[in-house]
Amino acid sequence: MDMVMINYCVTVLYYLITAFFFLAVVRNFVSTKNIEEAILYGIIMIPFALRILRLK
Amino acid sequence: MMKLRTAKAAILLIAGTCAAIAGFLFREHRVYREAVVASSSITEVKKLSDYSNAVKGTVNDANVYIFDSGVPGGTVVLIGGTHPEEPVANLSAQIFTENVRTLQGKVIVINRINTSASLGTRMGEAYPRFFHVKTSWGEKKWRYGDRVSTPLDSWPDPEVYIHYPSGQNLAYMDIRNVNRTWPGRPDGLLAERTCFAAMELIRKEKADIVMDFHEAELEYAVENTIVVHEEGQSVAAMTSMMLTSQTFDVPIGMEFSPKALHGLSHREIGDHSDAVSYLVEVAEPMLDRIRGITDEELLMSGKDRFVMKAGEHKLLYSPIDENGWPVDKRTARHVTTLMTILQVHNMLTPDKAVILEGIPSYGEMMEKGVGAFFSNPDASPSERVFYE
């Protein structure tokens, strides 16, 4: 397997990991009863969303 | 409970709005295409992938502008945009693309060799996304970019980047740096494949001279200088003396490409082809760590009181005063340096001469500004308008 293919596989895994953590943050956002935590989760979601959408 | 739901909805709305605004700005930068009006003497526009499939289908499959006089002579390849946070490199190459008339030999220009790096700015640095040059017909707009390819196009980086073929260990992010991946390889990561395709161009076109335009922070020792492969030492030395004594207010030096430092254009192009490789540097205060407000004004004027203060304490490798290092001066130095290199090259190797017309002189660029030498794409024949 050449380097390009290895990198491609790692990139796909990376996006899957990013999506996993995004969903975990969303789940925590939904379940929390603490507003401060909800604000924190809301902020944390932004870079994950931008990365999944391949904007940054 | 109702209060919590309302608060969460508000938080989602605010976070979503922030993400939407940021996403819009990032996307606007990433999809913007720069217009290039090739000079009337253009003979062909190829893609880098015409020389190697290594970049086919990638964002770095750059336009290759070819100006062939049809008169036997030498071939010069100009490379701009290696580091898109050094915009004068791109502007200097484009001055040639838009103005050159080739009387003898052939000129090949790549305005943006690392397009990927121009599609995002350096993270955490608050760089402007675009810069503008005033022209008689309005403002011309370019993307301002990063030093290395964006992780959206080349990811992941290795823990340590092992340069091919030397095996030298370099910093991990330099595997995305087009001036650390020469001569490249066809099955490497994006920057390595880009350099490999460019090497194929240089070899197949039998280039005699390759020029790589750059800019550097004033805190960096390799400044206002020509870095040259040992094959070009006579030409570079003569060029340095001529420009310093006759044209430039700040001297331009000349130094040899270190033999033990790999991946750089001035070393590897000379080692892996018949071309003589040159790299030129000019002062860009925007890149200094100690700069003040990082905005387009600083990028274009090159004026910064913090950098000036460092100069007063003799902490810099380049002079700077209240006039700064404006983009006109930086571009004029690069363009004039290449023209002088060609002048000396033509004297030493007349059978490989490259004779050009239409390129503005140092004085003209300083007097009129570089904007005077870019054409209006909306008023130019569509067959000569290309996008980067």
Side-chain angles (χ1 to χ4, degrees), chain B residues 307-370:
Chain B
V307 179
M308 262 182 69
K309 180 60 78 177
E312 288 169 16
H313 291 282
K314 303 192 186 308
L315 297 172
L316 306 177
Y317 291 92
S318 166
I320 183 169
D321 58 21
E322 63 281 358
N323 296 315
W325 278 91
V327 77
D328 296 331
K329 180 176 176 175
R330 283 143 52 197
T331 309
R333 281 178 69 100
H334 272 2
V335 171
T336 308
T337 299
L338 178 59
M339 291 301 286
T340 309
I341 284 174
L342 290 179
Q343 187 185 341
V344 178
H345 163 84
N346 294 347
M347 281 193 296
L348 296 178
T349 48
D351 57 319
K352 291 283 185 185
V354 180
I355 300 176
L356 310 180
E357 262 189 1
I359 302 301
S361 69
Y362 182 81
E364 284 176 313
M365 280 184 276
M366 291 296 286
E367 186 190 329
K368 298 178 183 171
V370 291

Side-chain angles (χ1 to χ4, degrees), chain A residues 2-4 7 10-11 14-15 29-35 38-39 42 45-46 50-51 54-56, chain B residues 4 7-8 11-12 15 18-19 23 26-27 121 123 151-153 155-156 175 185 187-189 192-193:
Chain A
D2 67 14
M3 195 171 168
V4 177
N7 248 62
V10 173
T11 300
Y14 172 79
Y15 278 95
F29 177 82
V30 172
S31 61
T32 186
K33 294 188 171 30
N34 182 324
I35 288 184
I39 293 171
M45 277 179 219
I46 297 174
L50 292 175
R51 190 63 161 203
R54 291 183 54 78
L55 290 168
K56 191 64 175 178
Chain B
L4 183 66
K8 282 185 178 179
I11 291 164
L12 268 187
C18 290
F26 290 141
R27 188 173 184 281
T121 56
M123 285 176 274
L152 290 177
D153 301 318
W155 183 262
I175 201 161
R185 50 180 159 176
D187 55 353
L189 298 193
E192 293 177 298
R193 282 184 277 149

